[in-house]
Amino acid sequence: MRLCRSLAVAAVVAVSAPVALFATAPAFAATGPAAARSQDRPTYEELVKAAAEAKKAHEGAVVAKEEGYKELMAAFAALDSDTHPLKAATAAADKAAKEAAGTKEAAEKAVADAGATLEAAQGDAEKAEAQRALDVAEAELTKAVGAKKEADTAAEAASAAWIDARVAAVRKYSLVQDAPAKALKAKEAADKALAIAKECVRETGLTSHLVGLPSQVVVGTTVDFTLRVTNGTGRTLAVDPLVFFHAVQQGSKTEGPLKVEWSNGSQWQALSGYGSEHIAHIDTMKPGEHSDVKFRMRVDPAAKKGDAFALFAGDASDAYNPCVLGPMKRYDFELLPAGSKPGTDEAEPGLPGKDDDERPQTTKPGTNTGTGPSAQGGASEQTVRTAATGTGTGTDGGLAATGTSSATAPLALASVATVALGAGAVFAARRRRAAGGI
C-alpha cells in the first residue's frame, strides 16, 4: 500500500515539475545570435537533464499504475472475503435486519389475530380478555417496528462502510491511473525540446580563413601558413576547427603526398592524412575573438605534379546548442614538379554560390561529448556532381571552388571517386562528432 502511494506521489510531482520548461522550449529553436542572447531559455545541459527526468518519471508512472492496479484488485478480493471485518459486519447486519423484519411480520399477524378475536368475543369478560391480548400484541408490534428500523439503519451503515472502502480503493488507484498518459506527454515534450536543441545551428560569423598558403607548391618543399578562426557571432563558443587536405596523383602509387602538421603552441602535431580531423580545440571563444593555428606542409619528393585542395570549417557548441556550424571553405592549390619556380599568389577560396551552406541532412544530428557538434550527410553525391561537371557551387559551405585555380577540371577528370571519398570523410567526421553527445 505504501509503495503504491509513494509511487503515485512521485509520478504526479515528476510529471508536473518539468512541464513549464518543455512548454517554452520550441521557442528556443531559433538560430543565430538573437537566439543565443535569450536569457530565459534552458541550457542544453538542463534539457538533457529534464528529458532524463521525464523519462524516469514516465517509467515510474507506468510502474505505479501497475502496482496500483494490483493493489486495487487485492483490496477488492479482501473486501469480498467473508472474513473481512466490513464484509462480516455487513453480513451480520443484513441477517439482523431480516430477523427484525420477520419479528415485525409476526407481530403484525398477532395484532391482526388479536383484533379478530376481539370482534368475535361474547360477553364483557371475554371481550375484556381479548382487548388485553390486543393491547399486548400492539405493544409488541411497536417494539418490532422500532427494532426493524434500527436493524435496517445498521445494515445500511454496514453496507455503506463496505462500499466506501471499495470506493476509497478505486480513488487511490485513480491517482496513478492517468499518470502514465500525463507523464508520456511530458516526456514527449522533453524529447522534442531536446531534439530541437540538437539541431545544427548555422553561424556564418564563425569563419575559417587561411593565410599564407601558396596557390602553387613545389614538390619536395615545405610551406608555412596560418588558419585564423574568428567568432563573429553573438555566442560564446567552444570551437574545434575541422581540416582536411587532399592531393590528386594521377597514376601514382604515392599515398598521402601531403605531410601536414599543426602547432599547439609548444609542439607540432601531425595530421593523419587519411581523413578530416578536428584540431586545436578552443574551450572558450567569446564574440569577436579569434584564434590562429600555425600549419606547415611538406610535399613528398616522390609526389607528381597535380592538383590539391584543403577544406576548413569551424565546428562548435555553446551552452544551448551542441551543434553550431561555421561555413566551410575550400582552398585549391597546384603541385609543381621539383625544381620549379612557384608564383607568389596565395590560394584563395572560390566565390560562394547559391547552395552556400546548404548541406544535406544537418538537422537532428545528435550531440558530441568532447569534440563538439555538427552533421554532414549525403554530400558525396553533390561532390561527385560538382567534380564531374567542373562547376563548383562555392566554398563557404560548398565543396568545390568556382575556378580560382586550374584545379577543378583536372581534379574531376583525374579522380572523381577520390574527391568524393575525401569529402565524404569530412562529412562523416562531422556527423560522428555530432552523434556523440555533449
Side-chain angles (χ1 to χ4, degrees):
M1 301 286 278
R2 293 181 179 177
L3 172 62
C4 183
R5 186 178 299 108
S6 62
L7 287 173
V9 173
V12 172
V13 173
V15 168
S16 59
V19 168
L21 179 66
F22 305 148
T24 55
F28 307 137
T31 61
R37 288 192 295 269
S38 298
Q39 299 300 314
D40 56 348
R41 62 189 295 198
T43 65
Y44 182 74
E45 182 178 355
E46 290 171 339
L47 290 176
V48 170
K49 181 180 179 181
E53 291 176 348
K55 180 177 181 292
K56 184 177 180 180
H58 177 250
E59 293 171 348
V62 171
V63 172
K65 181 178 179 179
E66 293 174 351
E67 294 296 326
Y69 184 76
K70 293 178 182 178
E71 188 174 312
L72 175 64
M73 293 298 100
F76 280 174
L79 287 168
D80 289 336
S81 172
D82 292 338
T83 60
H84 193 281
L86 293 179
K87 184 65 178 293
T90 299
D94 286 344
K95 182 180 179 181
K98 289 180 181 179
E99 291 176 350
T103 301
K104 177 177 173 291
E105 290 178 0
E108 290 173 340
K109 186 176 184 304
V111 169
D113 291 344
T117 300
L118 177 62
E119 291 179 359
Q122 299 295 324
D124 293 340
E126 187 176 351
K127 288 182 178 179
E129 182 65 24
Q131 183 61 53
R132 286 193 293 271
L134 177 59
D135 291 342
V136 172
E138 287 179 342
E140 290 297 323
L141 177 58
T142 300
K143 289 171 58 179
V145 169
K148 181 180 183 301
K149 184 177 181 180
E150 290 179 1
D152 287 344
T153 300
E156 290 176 0
S159 178
W162 182 76
I163 292 174
D164 287 346
R166 294 178 70 88
V167 171
V170 172
R171 285 177 176 171
K172 185 177 181 181
Y173 174 64
S174 70
L175 295 176
V176 295
Q177 184 178 20
D178 298 331
K182 295 178 180 179
L184 180 60
K185 289 183 179 179
K187 177 181 178 299
E188 291 172 345
D191 291 342
K192 182 178 180 180
L194 183 60
I196 290 174
K198 287 180 179 179
E199 293 181 357
C200 291
V201 175
R202 301 292 183 167
E203 286 286 9
T204 57
L206 180 58
T207 59
S208 303
H209 181 64
L210 209 58
V211 178
L213 176 64
S215 61
Q216 295 179 325
V217 180
V218 177
V219 168
T221 64
T222 299
V223 294
D224 297 318
F225 49 93
T226 300
L227 172 66
R228 169 162 290 190
V229 181
T230 302
N231 183 7
T233 75
R235 303 168 178 265
T236 296
L237 299 171
V239 183
D240 290 273
L242 181 74
V243 301
F244 177 69
F245 290 82
H246 181 73
V248 177
Q249 295 286 282
Q250 300 184 43
S252 173
K253 296 183 179 180
T254 302
E255 295 291 340
L258 304 180
K259 309 300 180 183
V260 184
E261 296 178 305
W262 61 278
S263 174
N264 62 8
S266 60
Q267 60 183 347
W268 290 95
Q269 305 285 324
L271 298 181
S272 68
Y274 294 105
S276 60
E277 299 179 43
H278 290 102
I279 65 168
H281 173 74
I282 306 162
D283 284 329
T284 303
M285 182 181 286
K286 296 181 180 180
E289 292 184 343
H290 69 268
S291 181
D292 291 341
V293 183
K294 293 182 178 181
F295 284 85
R296 65 186 182 191
M297 179 182 70
R298 180 176 181 272
V299 184
D300 194 303
K304 294 185 177 181
K305 174 183 177 180
D307 297 290
F309 67 90
L311 298 177
F312 298 91
D315 282 354
S317 64
D318 65 8
Y320 306 101
N321 296 93
C323 181
V324 180
L325 301 180
M328 183 174 287
K329 290 189 177 182
R330 171 178 173 142
Y331 290 80
D332 289 286
F333 55 96
E334 184 180 2
L335 300 183
L336 299 181
S340 300
K341 184 177 181 180
T344 58
D345 295 336
E346 291 188 10
E348 295 288 345
L351 297 175
K354 62 182 181 66
D355 294 328
D356 177 39
D357 211 29
E358 293 296 329
R359 301 170 190 169
Q361 300 179 15
T362 56
T363 59
K364 300 181 181 178
T367 56
N368 166 18
T369 47
T371 54
S374 182
Q376 303 292 337
S380 295
E381 179 181 350
Q382 174 185 341
T383 308
V384 172
R385 181 173 64 253
T386 301
T389 58
T391 55
T393 58
T395 55
D396 288 347
L399 290 175
T402 56
T404 56
S405 77
S406 60
T408 305
L411 189 62
L413 296 175
S415 182
V416 171
T418 301
V419 176
L421 288 173
V426 174
F427 300 142
R430 304 191 89 183
R431 183 166 57 248
R432 284 196 302 273
R433 172 198 176 116
I438 191 167

